[in-house]
Amino acid sequence: MNKSTLLIAVLMLGIGIGTGYWLSGNSSSTVAVTEQDKKPLFYRDPMNPSITSPVPAKDSMGMDYIPVYADEDKPSSERKILFYRNPMNPSVTSPVPAKDSMGMDYVPVYADNEASEVAGTVKIDPVVVQNIGVRTAIAKQEAISRTIRAVGRVDFDEESMARFHPKVEGWIEEIRVDKTGQNVAKDDILLSIYSPKLVSTQQEYLLALNNLSALSKSQFDEIRQGAEDLVRSSRERLELLDVPEHQIQELEQTRKIKKSLHIHSPVAGTVIRIGSRQGQYVTPKTELYMMVDLSQVWVYADVYEYELPWVKLGDEVEMTLASVPGKTFKGSLDYIYPYAESKTRTTKVRLVFDNRELLLRPDMFAEVSIQSDTLNNAVIVPAESVIRSGSRTQVFVVRGPGKFEPRTVKLGIESSGQVAVLEGVAAGEEVVTSAQFLVDSESKLREATAKMMDALNSSKGISEDDSRSVESHKGMVHGSEEMTDHSQMEMDGHTDMEMSEQIDGSGHGVHDHD
């Protein structure tokens, strides 16, 4: 290699280094100029975008606030701007671009942001959602049954009650069952009664028997048949007066009239009232005994009006009593009374229970659980997810991360902390189960603000023609540099004063909102 070639190589290397240095310097200056031209509108908390600052800052975790530039929020020509909102106080809006007292530009609100959402839809930052303790649950499709609980009262079975009255007048000679609550078997002797009518009836029967024995050998069939008919009618009269069979047979054998005759119990049961005592004169109007069979009892329970549609005949019933701990009695619903109680606004139902062990005593109080029909394939949500506000019942459905939509629902039966949704929520949707009242208050605020803005826009009569005239006026202003500078100075001078007066007058500051 000669000297001339070496010299040319060194010269070309020098030229390349110089050119590269010049290009890199020019590029860095361009980047610096670009970064200087891009002035942040404000700075936003990276963990909570609703918190902003006009100057660089750090959050509680030491993270730098993220700058927000003007071109990031630059509206598209295809998107229609409804109004402009104060970034530090969303309740303060303006129909035209403006700045707040700190020099921050108002944030535009576009039509497509509001048109696709249901009125009252809430958007909450995920961090705020976690801080306020929002919990959700999935709506499931499954069977649900309703358990109706009520207080019951044990009573007698009216169908097994019996009242005894004598069929003749007379005097009580002897009383054998003389204690209330005494158990009596069928055909047990209750008392003995002397009645002149019974004595005369016995005499007639004895005469008929003697007449039959005298005419039994008569050659005339009519005479013999008449004597037999007289005996038969006399005996039937004794039976109709409740003279027991054994005393009639004794009368036929001994042919001696009994002064007092026995009255037997026609049924088995427990004596609950005694209406006569020994030596008392009684008539057919006198109630001698009142007895009832306690092998089966009735239980009366009161059901509220809103639970009545779920009760029907034949429903299974469970009952527990404080006097019989640990034992559950099973019965059935036997009758629903066709009237309601005016004072309690309840309807009485009658339940039937077996009481062969005699553990159920009338006038006892019991806790009753009526098992109503099961509703199959119902959409079930937790009962705490339902918000009852006046005539409206609603839940909040999760539409996305931090996005909650209010949904009016129609409810069915409720049991064991679950409620059936007949309309409004489908199976698989996610509903809010806690902190929904905070979400509901925010939803109502959003809905009221939207309605207020609609009314405000309607009253001002803002139309597309007015918007075009405003745009054309802005174009004329930007067409002249002197007019632009003047308008900008005028806006900077007056906007600060107007916005500060507006904030001071409304009583809401920026820090109060945050």
Side-chain angles (χ1 to χ4, degrees), residues 312-318 330-333 351 369-372:
K312 68 177 183 61
L313 298 181
D315 284 343
E316 295 182 358
V317 184
E318 294 183 354
K330 295 185 180 296
S332 61
L333 195 149
L351 317 173
S369 299
I370 304 175
Q371 308 296 329
S372 64

Side-chain angles (χ1 to χ4, degrees), residues 370-434:
I370 304 175
Q371 308 296 329
S372 64
D373 285 340
T374 301
L375 183 62
N376 297 317
N377 298 325
V379 179
I380 308 300
V381 298
E384 60 268 18
S385 65
V386 179
I387 301 176
R388 295 174 172 86
S389 177
S391 60
R392 183 172 62 178
T393 304
Q394 67 178 16
V395 298
F396 277 91
V397 179
V398 179
R399 305 298 296 172
K403 189 175 182 180
F404 306 98
E405 175 188 331
R407 191 84 60 81
T408 302
V409 295
K410 181 180 179 182
L411 301 181
I413 63 175
E414 180 177 350
S415 177
S416 302
Q418 302 288 327
V419 62
V421 180
L422 304 180
E423 296 178 2
V425 176
E429 289 188 314
E430 191 175 4
V431 297
V432 179
T433 59
S434 67

Side-chain angles (χ1 to χ4, degrees), residues 1-17:
M1 182 179 294
N2 53 16
K3 293 182 179 180
S4 60
T5 302
L6 182 60
L7 182 61
I8 292 172
V10 172
L11 182 60
M12 293 299 294
L13 180 60
I15 293 173
I17 293 174

Side-chain angles (χ1 to χ4, degrees), residues 265-486:
S265 173
V267 296
T270 303
V271 177
I272 59 176
R273 185 164 61 238
I274 300 176
S276 63
R277 291 297 174 180
Q278 187 171 350
Q280 183 177 346
Y281 175 75
V282 296
T283 65
K285 295 182 179 179
T286 306
E287 182 182 274
L288 300 179
Y289 291 95
M290 181 177 179
M291 291 195 305
V292 63
D293 185 7
L294 295 177
S295 61
Q296 180 176 283
V297 295
W298 287 354
V299 177
Y300 296 102
D302 294 325
V303 178
Y304 289 102
E305 292 180 350
Y306 69 91
E307 295 177 327
L308 194 60
W310 313 108
V311 177
K312 68 177 183 61
L313 298 181
D315 284 343
E316 295 182 358
V317 184
E318 294 183 354
M319 181 177 65
T320 57
L321 293 91
S323 61
V324 191
K327 183 175 179 59
T328 301
F329 298 88
K330 295 185 180 296
S332 61
L333 195 149
D334 183 63
Y335 186 71
I336 302 174
Y337 286 82
Y339 54 84
E341 299 292 336
S342 60
K343 294 182 179 180
T344 60
R345 307 311 306 165
T346 57
T347 298
K348 184 182 296 184
V349 296
R350 186 176 70 211
L351 317 173
V352 179
F353 289 88
D354 183 76
N355 189 34
R356 297 176 184 176
E357 300 178 3
L358 299 180
L359 297 176
L360 303 177
R361 296 175 173 83
D363 291 330
M364 276 185 169
F365 284 100
E367 295 182 1
V368 176
S369 299
I370 304 175
Q371 308 296 329
S372 64
D373 285 340
T374 301
L375 183 62
N376 297 317
N377 298 325
V379 179
I380 308 300
V381 298
E384 60 268 18
S385 65
V386 179
I387 301 176
R388 295 174 172 86
S389 177
S391 60
R392 183 172 62 178
T393 304
Q394 67 178 16
V395 298
F396 277 91
V397 179
V398 179
R399 305 298 296 172
K403 189 175 182 180
F404 306 98
E405 175 188 331
R407 191 84 60 81
T408 302
V409 295
K410 181 180 179 182
L411 301 181
I413 63 175
E414 180 177 350
S415 177
S416 302
Q418 302 288 327
V419 62
V421 180
L422 304 180
E423 296 178 2
V425 176
E429 289 188 314
E430 191 175 4
V431 297
V432 179
T433 59
S434 67
Q436 65 268 43
F437 290 100
L438 298 176
V439 180
D440 182 48
S441 61
E442 181 68 18
S443 173
K444 290 181 178 178
L445 178 61
R446 298 286 180 88
E447 184 176 0
T449 302
K451 292 180 179 179
M452 180 185 66
M453 293 308 304
D454 292 341
L456 182 62
N457 292 338
S458 300
S459 63
K460 289 185 177 181
I462 297 178
S463 61
E464 294 182 358
D465 295 337
D466 298 333
S467 301
R468 292 194 185 98
S469 62
V470 172
E471 294 293 335
S472 61
H473 177 70
K474 290 171 62 178
M476 293 174 61
V477 172
H478 286 285
S480 174
E481 184 177 356
E482 295 180 359
M483 293 180 65
T484 302
D485 294 338
H486 179 73

Side-chain angles (χ1 to χ4, degrees), residues 98-168:
K99 293 180 179 292
D100 63 2
S101 59
M102 303 177 66
M104 299 171 60
D105 292 328
Y106 275 34
V107 179
V109 177
Y110 299 98
D112 56 356
N113 289 343
E114 303 293 336
S116 61
E117 295 179 358
V118 178
T121 301
V122 182
K123 295 180 180 178
I124 304 177
D125 185 81
V127 177
V128 179
V129 171
Q130 183 177 2
N131 290 339
I132 64 177
V134 175
R135 294 195 302 272
T136 60
I138 303 297
K140 301 178 180 179
Q141 188 171 9
E142 57 186 20
I144 183 173
S145 61
R146 188 182 187 92
T147 301
I148 299 173
R149 304 184 186 278
V151 176
R153 179 179 60 85
V154 182
D155 206 343
F156 301 109
D157 183 353
E158 295 179 0
E159 296 178 350
S160 63
M161 297 179 67
R163 300 171 184 266
F164 301 144
H165 291 256
K167 295 182 178 179
V168 294

Side-chain angles (χ1 to χ4, degrees), residues 14-31:
I15 293 173
I17 293 174
T19 303
Y21 178 77
W22 179 80
L23 289 176
S24 62
N26 195 15
S27 175
S28 61
S29 61
T30 303
V31 173

